Amino acid sequence: MSLTTLVEKLEKLSAQAVAAIELAKSTKEIEDLRVQFMGKKSELTEIFSQFGKLSAEERPKAGQVGNEVRQKITQLLSGKQESFATAELNSKLKFEQVDVTLPGRMRPNASLHPVTLVRLELSKIFGDIGFTVEVGPEIEHEFYNFDALNIPANHPSRALQDTFYVKDRKDLVLRTHTSPVQIRTMLSQKPPIRTISPGRVYRADYDATHSPMFHQIEGLLVDKKVSMSELKGVLSYMVKEFFGAELKVRLRPSFFPFTEPSAEVDMECRFCKGAGCKTCKGTGWVEIGGCGMIDPEVMKSVQLDPDEYRGFAFGMGLERMAMLKFGISDLRAFFESDQKFIEQFSRWSR
Ligand code: PHE
């Protein structure tokens, strides 16, 4: 190849590079152009390799033009590269600016679960009038959960679709209420007895007001002279302390196999003060549990003489109490572990 051809080639290459660099839009494109025009496999390298074939007189001239072109392309590339880098940095600085006026990141306040709060508060309220806490197992023998509580074999609560039984152990159930702790307590303590028993219970139920696992608190009092008016007095005291308001309590006749007489415990709706609203479905009353005087059959099953001793018992749902206290409308919120829900109780946790 002649010197003239090589010089022409170099000039053409230079013009191409100038145009391409001018059009480049990013540091990435500049990098690609650097490889294209200056790399090992570039045309420029190829042209340089031809210089050896020129005569000794032609070679310096070719070298000079070649170096000029190489220098020019290098300069253009780094000039562009620099201006892109500056522009990219500026836009980064603009978008990643720290707004010093933004509020700081708060550390979330720890909180106890609302059911725990209610359990602790009720334990304190009953503790103040001499009730101690007794607990029992969640996997319970059917004797304590049903038989000793005078619940007959054909009772619906014993059916497979309502109760969780332990596989291959038909005599073991996930307790369906906290009432079996009554039996355990009466078997292990001598009257006078005054206990409450909070804990988890299980039923095959699931909707906005029922969960397969929920909590109850059981109350038990056994002594020689015990009357239903004392039962009502204890429940009224509890409602007053727990809700911090003088709300009426009403015992509505009902039936439980283990109490006689039995009653549902209603309290005046605290949201409308008895006038009727959505929470109480317009009735002015909300149900908070069941209660009654201990059935003589139950007394017998724990070897207590029903002619000598009397007692009362009550059972309430802890979620229900929490819903009424905090104004929660969906029971499922308790078990979804949503931090936005749980954080709201931090002010009660202190
Ligand atoms: N165990 C009953 C229930 O779960 C509630 C109850 C407890 C009723 C004690 C009377 C006495 O429905």
Side-chain angles (χ1 to χ4, degrees), residues 176-177 179 182 203 216 218 256 258-259 290-292 313-315:
T176 60
H177 52 178
S179 299
Q182 284 185 39
R203 289 178 199 178
Q216 288 189 332
E218 193 84 6
F256 296 103
F258 37 94
T259 45
C291 71
F314 55 85

Side-chain angles (χ1 to χ4, degrees), residues 193-241:
I193 295 170
R194 256 182 286 180
T195 56
I196 51 160
S197 306
R200 289 193 190 99
V201 301
Y202 302 83
R203 289 178 199 178
D205 259 345
Y206 194 49
D207 61 35
T209 50
H210 297 91
S211 149
M213 186 282 295
F214 62 104
H215 299 75
Q216 288 189 332
I217 188 165
E218 193 84 6
L220 173 70
L221 186 145
V222 185
D223 210 334
K224 295 215 157 141
K225 284 174 118 186
V226 182
S227 74
M228 204 141 183
S229 76
E230 284 161 328
L231 166 59
K232 193 175 176 191
V234 165
L235 292 169
S236 303
Y237 154 81
M238 180 274 298
V239 165
K240 177 171 180 240
E241 294 294 312

Side-chain angles (χ1 to χ4, degrees), residues 36-236:
Q36 186 188 330
F37 287 105
M38 318 273 294
K40 278 201 198 102
K41 289 177 190 145
S42 65
E43 206 185 338
L44 189 64
T45 309
E46 163 64 19
I47 295 170
F48 268 80
S49 74
Q50 303 287 318
F51 290 179
K53 293 175 189 157
L54 295 171
S55 66
E57 301 87 68
E58 287 173 327
R59 227 176 280 155
K61 176 65 187 160
Q64 192 200 333
V65 180
N67 281 332
E68 276 169 16
V69 170
R70 184 151 64 187
Q71 222 176 351
K72 185 170 178 186
I73 299 176
T74 312
Q75 270 174 9
L76 284 174
L77 283 171
S78 27
K80 267 274 172 167
Q81 179 76 297
E82 219 170 284
S83 71
F84 282 142
T86 318
E88 279 168 24
L89 179 66
N90 282 340
S91 87
K92 256 192 166 180
L93 284 175
K94 195 171 159 201
F95 288 108
E96 291 174 15
Q97 242 174 27
V98 176
D99 181 350
V100 292
T101 67
L102 281 176
R105 287 203 190 102
M106 297 296 181
R107 220 196 278 198
N109 285 324
S111 147
L112 292 176
H113 191 279
V115 169
T116 305
L117 289 171
V118 167
R119 173 170 61 79
L120 293 176
E121 186 167 358
L122 287 175
S123 302
K124 159 97 176 63
I125 290 169
F126 284 110
D128 286 349
I129 54 169
F131 284 71
T132 55
V133 175
E134 278 298 320
V135 292
E138 289 172 34
I139 301 173
E140 187 56 283
H141 195 280
E142 64 175 350
F143 170 77
Y144 298 99
N145 196 84
F146 297 126
D147 299 287
L149 286 164
N150 197 33
I151 300 175
N154 60 358
H155 193 275
S157 72
R158 296 182 78 141
L160 281 168
Q161 71 267 21
D162 291 324
T163 300
F164 297 108
Y165 283 84
V166 174
K167 204 177 169 199
D168 301 328
R169 281 294 304 266
K170 280 192 139 77
D171 53 340
L172 293 183
V173 297
L174 296 189
R175 65 179 181 190
T176 60
H177 52 178
T178 43
S179 299
V181 191
Q182 284 185 39
I183 303 299
R184 290 178 175 276
T185 307
M186 287 188 281
L187 285 172
S188 63
Q189 294 185 19
K190 291 223 164 327
I193 295 170
R194 256 182 286 180
T195 56
I196 51 160
S197 306
R200 289 193 190 99
V201 301
Y202 302 83
R203 289 178 199 178
D205 259 345
Y206 194 49
D207 61 35
T209 50
H210 297 91
S211 149
M213 186 282 295
F214 62 104
H215 299 75
Q216 288 189 332
I217 188 165
E218 193 84 6
L220 173 70
L221 186 145
V222 185
D223 210 334
K224 295 215 157 141
K225 284 174 118 186
V226 182
S227 74
M228 204 141 183
S229 76
E230 284 161 328
L231 166 59
K232 193 175 176 191
V234 165
L235 292 169
S236 303

Side-chain angles (χ1 to χ4, degrees), residues 262-310:
S262 303
E264 304 290 343
V265 186
D266 291 345
M267 68 171 225
E268 208 177 339
C269 178
R270 62 181 290 250
F271 299 106
C272 62
K273 295 273 166 352
C277 68
K278 223 174 93 200
T279 303
C280 59
K281 300 194 184 83
T283 63
W285 296 92
V286 288
E287 188 183 317
I288 55 171
C291 71
M293 303 304 292
I294 295 170
D295 194 288
E297 287 306 312
V298 175
M299 288 285 188
K300 283 186 216 158
S301 72
V302 294
Q303 287 90 51
L304 283 176
D305 180 356
D307 292 328
E308 190 181 354
Y309 292 107
R310 276 155 199 273

